[in-house]
Coordinates of all heavy atoms in Angstrom, one line a residue:
A171 N -3.9 17.3 -20.8 CA -4.5 16.9 -19.5 C -4.0 17.5 -18.3 O -4.6 17.6 -17.2 CB -4.3 15.3 -19.4
L172 N -2.7 18.1 -18.3 CA -2.2 18.7 -17.1 C -3.0 19.8 -16.6 O -3.2 20.0 -15.4 CB -0.7 19.1 -17.3 CG 0.3 17.9 -17.3 CD1 1.7 18.4 -17.6 CD2 0.3 17.3 -15.9
P173 N -3.4 20.7 -17.5 CA -4.4 21.8 -17.0 C -5.6 21.2 -16.4 O -6.1 21.8 -15.3 CB -4.7 22.6 -18.3 CG -3.6 22.4 -19.2 CD -3.1 20.9 -18.9
G174 N -6.1 20.1 -16.9 CA -7.3 19.5 -16.2 C -6.9 18.9 -14.9 O -7.8 19.0 -13.9
A175 N -5.7 18.4 -14.7 CA -5.3 17.9 -13.4 C -5.3 19.0 -12.4 O -5.7 18.8 -11.2 CB -3.9 17.2 -13.5
Y176 N -4.8 20.2 -12.8 CA -4.7 21.3 -11.9 C -6.2 21.8 -11.5 O -6.4 22.0 -10.3 CB -4.0 22.5 -12.5 CG -4.1 23.8 -11.7 CD1 -3.2 23.9 -10.7 CD2 -4.9 24.8 -12.0 CE1 -3.2 25.1 -9.9 CE2 -4.9 25.9 -11.2 CZ -4.1 26.1 -10.2 OH -4.1 27.3 -9.4
V177 N -7.1 21.8 -12.4 CA -8.4 22.3 -12.1 C -9.1 21.3 -11.2 O -9.8 21.7 -10.3 CB -9.2 22.4 -13.5 CG1 -10.7 22.5 -13.2 CG2 -8.7 23.6 -14.3
F178 N -9.0 20.0 -11.5 CA -9.7 19.0 -10.6 C -9.0 19.1 -9.2 O -9.7 18.7 -8.2 CB -9.6 17.6 -11.2 CG -10.7 17.4 -12.2 CD1 -10.5 17.5 -13.5 CD2 -12.0 17.1 -11.8 CE1 -11.4 17.3 -14.4 CE2 -13.0 16.8 -12.7 CZ -12.7 16.9 -14.1
A179 N -7.7 19.3 -9.1 CA -7.0 19.3 -7.8 C -7.3 20.6 -7.0 O -7.4 20.5 -5.7 CB -5.5 19.2 -8.1
R180 N -7.4 21.7 -7.6 CA -7.4 22.9 -6.8 C -8.8 23.7 -6.8 O -9.0 24.4 -5.9 CB -6.4 24.0 -7.5 CG -4.9 23.6 -7.3 CD -4.6 23.5 -5.9 NE -3.1 23.4 -5.7 CZ -2.5 22.9 -4.7 NH1 -3.2 22.3 -3.7 NH2 -1.2 22.9 -4.5
F181 N -9.7 23.4 -7.8 CA -10.9 24.2 -7.9 C -12.1 23.4 -7.4 O -12.1 22.2 -7.6 CB -11.2 24.6 -9.3 CG -10.1 25.6 -9.9 CD1 -10.1 25.9 -11.3 CD2 -9.3 26.3 -9.0 CE1 -9.2 26.9 -11.8 CE2 -8.4 27.2 -9.5 CZ -8.3 27.5 -10.9
D182 N -13.0 24.1 -6.8 CA -14.3 23.5 -6.4 C -15.4 24.2 -7.3 O -15.5 25.4 -7.3 CB -14.6 23.8 -4.9 CG -15.9 23.2 -4.4 OD1 -16.3 22.2 -5.1 OD2 -16.4 23.7 -3.5
F183 N -16.1 23.4 -8.0 CA -17.1 24.0 -8.9 C -18.3 23.0 -8.9 O -18.2 21.8 -8.6 CB -16.6 24.2 -10.3 CG -15.9 23.1 -10.9 CD1 -16.6 22.2 -11.7 CD2 -14.5 22.9 -10.7 CE1 -15.9 21.1 -12.3 CE2 -13.9 21.8 -11.3 CZ -14.6 21.0 -12.1
R184 N -19.5 23.5 -9.3 CA -20.7 22.6 -9.4 C -20.5 21.5 -10.5 O -20.0 21.8 -11.5 CB -21.9 23.5 -9.7 CG -23.2 22.8 -9.7 CD -24.4 23.7 -9.9 NE -24.4 24.8 -9.0 CZ -25.2 25.8 -9.0 NH1 -26.1 25.9 -10.0 NH2 -25.2 26.8 -8.0
G185 N -20.9 20.3 -10.1 CA -20.9 19.2 -11.0 C -19.5 18.5 -11.1 O -19.3 17.7 -12.0
K186 N -18.5 18.9 -10.2 CA -17.2 18.3 -10.3 C -17.2 16.8 -10.1 O -16.4 16.2 -10.9 CB -16.3 19.0 -9.2 CG -15.0 18.5 -9.1 CD -14.1 19.2 -8.0 CE -12.7 18.7 -7.9 NZ -12.0 19.4 -6.8
Q187 N -18.0 16.3 -9.2 CA -17.9 14.8 -9.0 C -18.5 14.1 -10.3 O -17.9 13.1 -10.7 CB -18.9 14.5 -7.8 CG -18.8 13.1 -7.4 CD -19.6 12.8 -6.1 OE1 -19.8 13.7 -5.3 NE2 -20.0 11.6 -5.8
V188 N -19.5 14.6 -10.8 CA -20.1 14.0 -12.1 C -19.1 14.1 -13.2 O -18.8 13.1 -14.0 CB -21.4 14.6 -12.4 CG1 -21.9 14.0 -13.7 CG2 -22.4 14.3 -11.3
L189 N -18.4 15.3 -13.3 CA -17.5 15.5 -14.4 C -16.3 14.6 -14.3 O -15.7 14.1 -15.2 CB -17.1 16.9 -14.4 CG -16.3 17.4 -15.7 CD1 -17.1 17.2 -16.9 CD2 -15.8 18.8 -15.5

Side-chain angles (χ1 to χ4, degrees):
L172 281 177
Y176 175 79
V177 165
F178 278 99
R180 293 299 195 204
F181 293 167
D182 182 24
F183 53 91
R184 185 177 300 176
K186 178 179 177 180
Q187 187 174 339
V188 175
L189 190 63

